[in-house]
Amino acid sequence: MSADSGHRALVRALLDRHGETYAEQCGIRVRNTPQPLYQVLVLADLLSTRIRASVAVASARTLFDAGMSTPRRMLDATWQQRVDALGEGGYRRYDESTATRLGEGAALLLDKYGGDLRRMRQAADGEAGELRRALQELPGVGPTGSAIFLREVQGVWTEFAPFLDPKAVQGAERLGLPGDRTKLARLVTENEAAAFASALVRAALDQQLAEEVREAAAG
């Protein structure tokens, strides 16, 4: 088997088993409309903290189930309501500071962009670096959070695809795939880019998962 065939077999095994974005896992149907884009931003914020991804996903769900699915509703909720929702999802270690910054971030997003992340996209004019800088003006969204957001929305904001952040590249290398972003991008279609990036992140976070994918591809 050639190196390229081996890489494609690895990618197929990875996508067949773990080809789901974190947004999909959270129940977010990502579209280019304000509410799901904001939900992805909240999820990216939670995922960027040193806490298990499953807890971040569950906590985002509890926030949305409690009605905090838009910047206005997040801001209108009390601090304690945010804390309680985060705690219910298991996000207890950082619940108080996160509740504060979610409220502050919602206020800034409403003030500067009318609560619509598409305006931020328009201002970035296709420049990923510019968009990430704008995202990082929001409280609690740092380099990791902005990268997660771009990774998750690249299926609808296609000018930023393929977007593979350092954690995704780390997962690729663990699997034995190229560490070069351009070579990795050639292994999937544009429609698969977001799921591929998330699956690579899962491989970076879970050694056993990576080993199982390698075994499946070899078989």
Side-chain angles (χ1 to χ4, degrees), residues 9-28:
L10 274 167
V11 170
R12 284 302 107 201
L14 178 67
L15 289 176
D16 286 347
R17 288 158 180 78
H18 306 288
E20 179 182 51
T21 66
Y22 285 98
E24 288 170 337
Q25 185 181 344
C26 190
I28 303 168

Side-chain angles (χ1 to χ4, degrees), residues 141-161:
V141 180
T144 299
S146 66
I148 293 170
F149 178 82
L150 269 179
R151 191 179 75 212
E152 293 289 317
V153 303
Q154 64 182 302
V156 291
W157 288 5
T158 55
E159 68 269 33
F160 302 114

Side-chain angles (χ1 to χ4, degrees), residues 146-198:
S146 66
I148 293 170
F149 178 82
L150 269 179
R151 191 179 75 212
E152 293 289 317
V153 303
Q154 64 182 302
V156 291
W157 288 5
T158 55
E159 68 269 33
F160 302 114
F163 186 85
L164 296 165
D165 60 353
K167 185 63 72 173
V169 174
Q170 181 184 332
E173 292 172 338
R174 171 172 275 181
L175 287 164
L177 291 168
D180 180 271
R181 289 174 173 82
T182 301
K183 291 179 180 178
L184 285 172
R186 291 177 184 150
L187 295 172
V188 295
T189 66
E190 185 178 279
N191 291 337
E192 295 172 321
F196 181 46
S198 291

Side-chain angles (χ1 to χ4, degrees), residues 52-66:
R52 291 195 313 276
S54 59
V55 172
V57 169
S59 299
R61 276 182 176 269
T62 58
L63 284 167
F64 305 149
D65 288 346

Side-chain angles (χ1 to χ4, degrees), residues 29-37 116-118 121 156-157:
R29 184 182 174 189
V30 181
R31 292 169 294 165
N32 188 34
T33 54
Q35 182 167 315
L37 291 172
D116 190 345
L117 284 159
R118 295 176 300 179
R121 176 196 188 186
V156 291
W157 288 5

Side-chain angles (χ1 to χ4, degrees), residues 120 123-137 160:
M120 186 186 291
D125 196 25
E127 293 292 331
E130 186 60 36
L131 179 61
R132 292 187 65 186
R133 280 190 289 274
L135 287 165
Q136 290 171 47
E137 291 178 2
F160 302 114

